[in-house]
């Protein structure tokens, strides 16, 4: 449904005389299948919005080829516009009009006739449960209500692909859960959904496949389960406080440790194949070297571990 | 066809927003009405050399100038609104649709023009009790000229906003363009009072001709050649400005 290869974009920023190139997106390759919920996971400034804006024809790529729903982005932008919907990161409801007016207008912008636009708005109000507040000014809406109107606008022309830029940022847990259900419903109706997020749990729970983007590059891709499996079987975290460097050296060449990582708070993360056999060995090694530790935790790898391994930074700390 | 339909769509939407925010309309009135009430009464004596000896005659000279200032200066502010809408993402939301790109800018310009003409009518009506009297036919023609000036100013402002997309930098530039343009056209007082060198410069200013044309219509001399000259000039200017603005918009915004 979406094929992206070598997508690039840089901006020149700064005052006259002292301009500097920012490579926002540097060679992104992606492939998204029909009916998939695809997640683009990355920290602030990773290039998520820039990528999405290019895919929606809002921004001209510096390089690369893109095909969306059978249309070539460069040669047939008009066709792409008809086949995709886009919901911007900030949302775009206007304070002085009602949700219903917004939906009718957006439908008409897509060239839909007046009667049909009203009809589709009616359907969207029901499907997204907006009817209660649809005739109030958008000024009075809660964040979650605004977001739902935004998404209803994004699909009013029944696109085959929907792009959602950080759809749940700033929403409370209940509104988030509600929105996840909406996304799943759209997928079940056959729509392909491409969303960006910096929430690990969202990528994990909602997305069929994800790509991790950092500094404008895709550093890993696959199903959440695949990615986690790639990292290791288990993760053991040892709180070693002051003896971090010594402990790191100690475990550096143990055959049962696949990879290790020391965080700023003195926690040593050991990625091992199987915790049941590794745990006793870890404890014996710590004892033998007289390294005191106050905690010893075992957990299944999370997407954060994947992110940490691929980029050397934690997404959670930010 | 699609272009006309889309322009109408954008126009309707912008007009709805104007009607929903009446505060902005009222603010637009305050300055012209203050001038009308507090400044215009000084004019009877000031305008005596031009042959205006009664209040009615003074107002027929002054009101058209006031309206030109209104449409020019307010029109030149349209670019700031466009920048705000670009920033808020409202225009981006239209741009992901296949809506006609010139329609996005023209629908907005026409809504600004409508608003300004509404204000012009109100100001004319307020001037009536002060003694303004003018032939309705010539008044309508004068309004057409004013509307074209408003369209030109909006379009120029949009084009400049595309060129300099920062409100802080755009402000001084718009002032630098619009102030001399309006002063050098004799909007406050006719330049018949001015020294010859000033008139010599003003004759290079197209707004000078359109202002004089509008004034001739108000003072009841529609046969004055400056009427058709002003009309031709303003039609050409409006067309050029609109062409420039749509081109800049299509290039910068895609
Ligand atoms: N119009 C622009 N001009 C200059 N630089 C830009 C522009 N748009 C984006 N950038 C830069 O490109 C990089 C990527 O930005 P982008 O908005 O794509 O990040 P993001 O992944 O969406 O981040 P966030 O999670 O904060 O939304 C950033 O360094 C940003 O400053
Ligand atoms: Mg973003």
């Amino acid at each position: 449904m979406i094929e992206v290869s070598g997508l690039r974009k840089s901006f020149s920023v700064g005052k006259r005389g002292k301009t500097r190139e920012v490579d926002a997106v540097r060679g992104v390759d992606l492939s998204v299948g029909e009916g998939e919920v695809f997640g683009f996971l990355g920290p602030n400034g990773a290039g998520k919005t820039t990528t999405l804006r290019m895919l929606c024809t809002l921004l001209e790529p510096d390089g690369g080829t893109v095909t969306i729903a059978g249309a070539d982005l460069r040669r047939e932008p008009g066709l792409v516009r008809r086949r995709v919907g886009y919901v911007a990161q900030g949302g775009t409801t206007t304070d002085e009009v009602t949700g219903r007016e917004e939906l009718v207008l957006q439908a008409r912008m897509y060239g839909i006739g007046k009667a049909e636009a009203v009809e589709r708005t009616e359907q969207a109000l029901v499907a997204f449960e907006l009817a209660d507040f649809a005739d109030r000014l958008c000024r009075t809406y809660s964040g979650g209500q605004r977001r739902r109107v935004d998404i209803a606008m994004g699909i009013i022309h029944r696109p085959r692909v929907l792009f959602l830029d950080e759809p749940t940022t700033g929403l409370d847990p209940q509104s988030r859960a509600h929105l996840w259900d909406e996304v799943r419903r759209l997928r079940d109706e056959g729509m392909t959904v491409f969303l960006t997020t910096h929430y690990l749990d969202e990528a994990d729970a909602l997305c069929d496949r994800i790509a991790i983007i950092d500094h404008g590059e895709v550093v890993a891709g696959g199903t959440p389960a695949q990615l986690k499996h790639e990292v290791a079987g288990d993760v053991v975290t040892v709180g070693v406080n002051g003896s971090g460097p010594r402990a790191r050296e100690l475990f550096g060449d143990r055959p049962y440790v696949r990879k290790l990582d020391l965080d700023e708070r003195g926690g040593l993360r050991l990625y091992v194949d199987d915790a049941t056999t590794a745990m006793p060995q870890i404890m014996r090694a710590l004892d033998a070297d007289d390294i005191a530790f106050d905690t010893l935790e075992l957990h299944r790898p999370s997407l954060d571990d994947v992110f940490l391994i691929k980029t050397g930074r934690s997404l959670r700390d930010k | 066809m699609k272009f006309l339909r889309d322009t109408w769509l954008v126009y309707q939407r912008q007009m709805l927003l104007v009607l929903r925010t009446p505060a902005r309309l009222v603010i637009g009135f305050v300055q012209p009405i203050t001038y009308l009430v507090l400044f215009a009464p000084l004019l009877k004596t000031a305008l005596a050399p031009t042959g205006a000896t009664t209040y009615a005659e003074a107002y027929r000279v002054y009101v058209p100038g006031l309206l030109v200032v209104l449409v020019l200066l307010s029109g030149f502010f349209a670019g700031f609104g466009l920048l705000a809408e670009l920033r808020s993402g409202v225009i981006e939301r239209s741009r992901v649709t296949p809506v006609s790109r010139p329609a996005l800018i023209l629908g907005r310009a026409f809504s600004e023009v409508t608003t300004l003409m509404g204000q012009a009518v109100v100001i004319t009506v307020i001037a009536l009790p002060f003694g303004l009297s003018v032939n309705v036919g010539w008044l309508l023609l004068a309004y057409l000229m004013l509307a074209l000036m408003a369209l030109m100013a909006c379009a120029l402002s949009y084009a400049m906003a595309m060129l300099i997309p920062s409100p802080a930098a755009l402000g001084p530039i718009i002032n630098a363009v619009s102030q001399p343009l309006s002063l050098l056209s004799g909007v406050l007082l006719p330049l018949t009072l001015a020294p010859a060198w000033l008139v010599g410069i003003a004759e290079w200013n197209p707004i000078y001709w359109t202002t004089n044309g509008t004034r001739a219509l108000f003072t009841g001399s529609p046969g004055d050649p400056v009427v058709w000259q002003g009309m031709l000039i303003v039609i050409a200017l409006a067309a050029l400005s609109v062409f420039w603005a749509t081109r800049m918009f299509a290039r910068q915004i895609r």
Side-chain angles (χ1 to χ4, degrees):
Chain A
M1 188 57 46
I2 307 175
E3 296 295 333
V4 178
S5 107
L7 190 64
R8 284 188 294 109
K9 182 77 195 176
S10 55
F11 298 103
S12 47
V13 292
K15 293 260 178 284
R16 61 199 95 85
K18 270 192 291 183
T19 51
R20 189 169 60 86
E21 288 284 303
V22 176
D23 295 319
V25 176
R26 24 182 144 191
V28 162
D29 302 315
L30 290 172
S31 171
V32 180
E34 179 155 15
E36 234 175 21
V37 176
F38 187 87
F40 215 28
L41 177 69
N44 288 137
K48 303 184 295 294
T49 300
T50 306
T51 305
L52 242 59
R53 284 166 51 83
M54 286 192 282
L55 297 185
C56 297
T57 75
L58 291 173
L59 205 61
E60 188 155 23
D62 290 342
T65 56
V66 178
T67 326
I68 300 176
D72 183 277
L73 183 69
R74 224 176 260 281
R75 288 198 312 269
E76 307 159 296
L79 216 50
V80 172
R81 286 184 188 125
R82 276 174 208 289
R83 294 182 183 171
V84 310
Y86 171 64
V87 178
Q89 184 165 352
T92 54
T93 46
T94 307
D95 281 352
E96 293 82 20
V97 300
T98 69
R100 186 190 298 273
E101 286 165 339
E102 287 285 40
L103 286 163
V104 173
L105 173 76
Q106 195 66 5
R108 303 216 59 206
M109 287 275 186
Y110 278 102
I112 297 168
K114 197 162 193 173
E116 171 79 8
V118 169
E119 171 68 29
R120 286 199 190 189
T121 297
E122 209 54 58
Q123 291 166 3
L125 294 182
V126 174
F128 286 86
E129 296 170 40
L130 311 172
D132 286 347
F133 50 86
D135 294 309
R136 274 176 15 206
L137 296 186
C138 291
R139 183 208 311 278
T140 65
Y141 292 2
S142 74
Q145 290 170 333
R146 274 181 190 266
R147 217 69 192 116
R148 270 147 66 200
V149 174
D150 279 326
I151 296 182
M153 283 197 278
I155 59 130
I156 198 81
H157 58 300
R158 308 202 176 122
R160 291 168 64 189
V161 182
L162 176 63
F163 291 98
L164 298 173
D165 199 357
E166 299 198 12
T168 65
T169 301
L171 299 188
D172 66 20
Q174 205 184 335
S175 308
R176 280 182 76 196
H178 194 134
L179 227 135
W180 287 6
D181 288 340
E182 301 288 2
V183 170
R184 293 192 180 108
R185 177 174 63 79
L186 292 172
R187 176 194 46 199
D188 294 343
E189 290 169 7
M191 197 175 286
T192 306
V193 181
F194 187 133
L195 60 88
T196 75
T197 182
H198 50 227
Y199 293 124
L200 297 155
D201 56 338
E202 185 160 283
D204 211 344
L206 183 60
C207 301
D208 301 319
R209 283 198 315 127
I210 60 177
I212 296 179
I213 181 169
D214 188 37
H215 294 307
E217 280 169 311
V218 172
V219 294
T223 67
Q226 270 171 359
L227 284 172
K228 287 182 282 191
H229 184 77
E230 219 175 87
V231 171
D234 295 300
V235 185
V236 179
T237 309
V238 195
V240 286
N241 287 327
S243 353
R246 257 178 68 213
R248 193 217 301 258
E249 205 168 310
L250 171 65
F251 289 106
D253 55 357
R254 301 283 152 144
Y256 52 87
V257 176
R258 285 232 301 231
K259 193 168 168 25
L260 81 178
D261 197 83
L262 185 67
D263 69 33
E264 313 85 64
R265 292 178 307 244
L268 184 69
R269 294 164 88 83
L270 302 169
Y271 298 91
V272 299
D273 288 322
D274 181 5
T276 43
T277 59
M279 286 276 261
Q281 302 187 65
I282 291 169
M283 288 167 71
R284 271 201 300 277
L286 286 166
D287 253 2
D289 253 45
D290 242 1
I291 298 175
F293 60 95
D294 46 20
T295 55
L296 186 68
E297 284 169 18
L298 161 69
H299 67 96
R300 305 280 310 150
S302 68
L303 284 179
D304 195 36
D305 294 305
V306 178
F307 191 82
L308 192 62
I309 293 242
K310 298 288 184 185
T311 67
R313 288 175 294 119
S314 170
L315 195 54
R316 191 160 278 150
D317 290 342
K318 303 199 116 188
Chain B
M1 252 335 273
K2 173 171 160 48
F3 161 69
L4 291 180
R5 171 199 181 272
D6 287 352
T7 305
W8 176 238
L9 194 63
V10 174
Y11 173 80
Q12 279 177 304
R13 163 63 171 229
Q14 295 304 112
M15 285 315 293
L16 179 68
L17 291 180
V18 171
L19 296 177
R20 294 267 167 93
T21 43
R24 266 182 32 204
L25 275 181
V26 172
I27 291 168
F29 280 129
V30 174
Q31 209 185 11
I33 292 177
T34 316
Y35 269 76
L36 197 63
V37 175
L38 301 181
F39 178 66
L42 302 176
L43 289 174
K44 201 180 81 162
T45 25
L47 289 179
T50 70
T53 50
T54 64
Y55 274 116
E57 281 168 338
Y59 271 91
R60 284 201 290 191
V61 174
Y62 182 66
V63 170
L66 187 67
L67 296 181
V68 171
V69 180
L70 171 76
V71 300
L72 275 189
L73 296 192
S74 305
F76 269 117
F77 263 88
F80 292 97
L82 186 70
L83 287 185
E85 283 191 289
L86 281 171
R87 196 143 320 180
S88 75
V90 185
I91 292 185
E92 195 161 272
R93 191 180 102 198
S94 312
R95 285 173 50 223
V96 291
T97 75
V99 74
S100 146
R101 310 289 125 154
L104 287 178
I105 196 111
L106 272 176
R108 283 181 164 77
F110 288 146
S111 125
E112 296 281 349
V113 171
T114 308
T115 311
L116 288 174
M117 293 320 292
Q119 294 179 337
V121 170
V122 172
I123 288 166
T124 314
V125 169
I126 291 178
L128 290 179
F130 289 95
L132 175 76
S133 70
V134 45
N135 173 302
V136 174
W138 307 139
L139 181 65
L140 289 180
L141 204 56
Y143 279 162
L144 176 64
M145 215 141 150
L146 286 165
L148 286 166
M149 271 187 257
L151 181 63
M152 175 207 76
C154 284
L156 281 179
S157 182
Y158 288 153
M160 285 193 274
M162 292 293 98
L163 213 55
I164 306 147
S166 135
L170 186 62
I173 295 195
I174 293 229
N175 273 333
V177 175
S178 61
Q179 295 286 2
L181 266 189
S182 46
L183 284 179
L184 271 179
S185 60
V187 282
L188 295 178
L189 297 173
L191 287 180
T192 36
L193 301 173
W197 64 268
L198 196 56
V199 178
I201 300 176
E203 278 172 353
W204 288 96
N205 175 10
I207 309 299
Y208 170 76
W209 298 91
T210 59
T211 306
N212 283 350
T214 314
R215 192 168 270 145
L217 287 168
F218 265 80
T219 50
S221 28
D224 191 327
V226 78
V227 171
W228 65 260
Q229 286 163 347
M231 194 59 102
L232 279 188
I233 288 176
V234 75
I235 289 172
L237 284 177
L240 277 177
S241 312
V242 165
F243 177 73
W244 187 33
T246 47
R247 245 184 80 105
M248 289 297 294
F249 188 75
R251 170 131 28 108
Q252 299 280 336
I253 305 299
R254 261 155 64 79

